[in-house]
Amino acid sequence: MTHTKWLSTLMVLTGVVLLPSSSYGQSHENSQDRVASAFNAIDNPAQIDTISELDTASDGPNDLSADELAKQLNNPNSPLASLTLQNTTTFYSGTLPGADKQVGNTFLFQPVFPFPLTADGTRNFYIRPGFAFATNQPVPNATATGFTQEISLGDIGFDVAVGQSFDSGLIMVGGIQGTIPTFTTLSGEQFRLGPEALIAYLNDEGVVAAFPQHQWNVIGNGPAYSTSTLELFALKFLGNGWTAGTNPKINYDWEADQWTIPVNATVRKVVKFGNTPVQLAASFDYYVEKNDNFGPDFGITFKITPTVPNFIYNAFK
């Protein structure tokens, strides 16, 4: 193969086209089309995997149907932008005096603005912060004879990840997650960091996934921290924007040798308020394994997730 042919082949494979600046925009889009088609030969109806579908999701998610939105809002590698508002009420039990009477309540806000790395939306980059505020959190006092009720901002969680969807419905995500201390009364006062990974399968019927995570304390005060979390998904798409299934989060504290294991049931429904699609969700957790002294007995979570145009991606598009 001559040097000229070899260079031309390399340009096509990498999507590089050398043209005058006046025609760069259209040619760059065409090169992205070729790269996307090379890795995405099949239009999977359960996911966003074409340029036109990505444009609709990023510019006007209201144009998607309720069923399409249900699939994307439960797709762990969706390019759809959303704002999650979640409230969790937890009822506690244990052998400590007064433990059975304790109730906690936490509000969480998590914005998600994925940045697609391919023109078809099958590879996405995420930076997802989570801001938690406890409107009521029982904390055992120093003598373990009673509880104080705390109202405070919690530590800020975050993850940074890249996800890839494949024609078959296979989804893989890898990245890091961490915790930024706020040094409030409920802060762990530690900067924590660790790996995360996800493997999932998504089709028109539903989604199943396993999402293992781990964090260690990197710097800060307090005792050593080493906790693993395994989040599991088994969700069925029921039509008309409905989704039902289970989504438990299992925790293991390596320092305390303590499991926290819930049995979970969840139901979700996509509705539209004016031009804003919203997923409403309710879930119930019953903890079959927890700290005997003081741990969660059961919890109820309500979640509102509006979808919005992805203005961050649109600014670069």
Side-chain angles (χ1 to χ4, degrees), residues 125-193:
F125 173 72
Y126 302 90
I127 299 178
R128 294 177 286 210
F131 306 93
F133 184 82
T135 57
N136 181 53
Q137 180 59 48
V139 178
N141 59 30
T143 60
T145 57
F147 291 83
T148 59
Q149 306 299 321
E150 299 289 347
I151 300 175
S152 175
L153 177 70
D155 289 338
I156 300 170
F158 71 91
D159 75 330
V160 180
V162 174
Q164 175 69 56
S165 298
F166 299 92
D167 286 338
S168 62
L170 176 68
I171 297 168
M172 300 182 72
V173 179
I176 60 172
Q177 67 166 224
T179 302
I180 301 172
T182 56
F183 298 99
T184 60
T185 56
L186 291 177
S187 173
E189 299 186 359
Q190 295 176 341
F191 177 74
R192 299 166 181 164
L193 203 63

Side-chain angles (χ1 to χ4, degrees), residues 274-294:
N275 291 324
T276 303
V278 177
Q279 180 172 256
L280 307 176
S283 63
F284 176 82
D285 289 282
Y286 176 72
Y287 291 85
V288 296
E289 183 65 35
K290 65 210 177 212
N291 188 300
D292 291 336
N293 293 326
F294 178 64

Side-chain angles (χ1 to χ4, degrees), residues 16-30:
V16 175
V17 181
L18 302 179
L19 290 172
S21 59
S22 61
S23 58
Y24 171 77
Q26 182 64 43
S27 300
H28 180 63
E29 182 176 331
N30 291 339

Side-chain angles (χ1 to χ4, degrees), residues 94-100 102 144-147:
T95 58
L96 291 180
D100 293 346
Q102 303 306 313
T145 57
F147 291 83

Side-chain angles (χ1 to χ4, degrees), residues 21-260:
S21 59
S22 61
S23 58
Y24 171 77
Q26 182 64 43
S27 300
H28 180 63
E29 182 176 331
N30 291 339
S31 69
Q32 284 188 314
D33 291 352
R34 289 196 295 272
V35 173
S37 63
F39 292 95
N40 180 56
I42 301 172
D43 180 11
N44 186 334
Q47 63 189 19
I48 291 173
D49 57 5
T50 68
I51 295 171
S52 62
E53 289 173 345
L54 176 58
D55 286 343
T56 299
S58 60
D59 294 335
N62 184 54
D63 293 333
L64 298 173
S65 70
D67 285 344
E68 289 172 326
L69 287 163
K71 291 167 188 171
Q72 292 312 307
L73 286 167
N74 293 289
N75 176 355
N77 185 43
S78 173
L80 198 67
S82 63
L83 305 171
T84 294
L85 306 163
Q86 175 179 300
N87 190 83
T88 300
T89 302
T90 304
F91 298 82
Y92 292 91
S93 64
T95 58
L96 291 180
D100 293 346
K101 299 179 181 179
Q102 303 306 313
V103 180
N105 196 83
T106 301
F107 177 80
L108 174 71
F109 172 61
Q110 185 176 50
V112 180
F113 288 89
F115 194 92
L117 300 177
T118 55
D120 60 359
T122 57
R123 183 179 302 150
N124 301 287
F125 173 72
Y126 302 90
I127 299 178
R128 294 177 286 210
F131 306 93
F133 184 82
T135 57
N136 181 53
Q137 180 59 48
V139 178
N141 59 30
T143 60
T145 57
F147 291 83
T148 59
Q149 306 299 321
E150 299 289 347
I151 300 175
S152 175
L153 177 70
D155 289 338
I156 300 170
F158 71 91
D159 75 330
V160 180
V162 174
Q164 175 69 56
S165 298
F166 299 92
D167 286 338
S168 62
L170 176 68
I171 297 168
M172 300 182 72
V173 179
I176 60 172
Q177 67 166 224
T179 302
I180 301 172
T182 56
F183 298 99
T184 60
T185 56
L186 291 177
S187 173
E189 299 186 359
Q190 295 176 341
F191 177 74
R192 299 166 181 164
L193 203 63
E196 67 178 15
L198 179 142
I199 185 168
Y201 178 73
L202 171 74
N203 62 19
D204 269 342
E205 300 297 321
V207 57
V208 292
F211 184 20
Q213 311 142 56
H214 187 85
Q215 288 191 48
W216 297 273
N217 61 304
V218 177
I219 189 171
N221 300 320
Y225 182 92
S226 179
T227 299
S228 297
T229 301
L230 176 61
E231 185 174 359
L232 300 174
F233 301 80
L235 302 170
K236 172 74 171 176
F237 302 131
L238 303 176
N240 296 320
W242 286 96
T243 303
T246 184
N247 180 201
K249 296 180 181 179
I250 300 168
N251 286 276
Y252 181 70
D253 183 340
W254 293 86
E255 298 296 333
D257 189 23
Q258 177 64 59
W259 287 96
T260 303

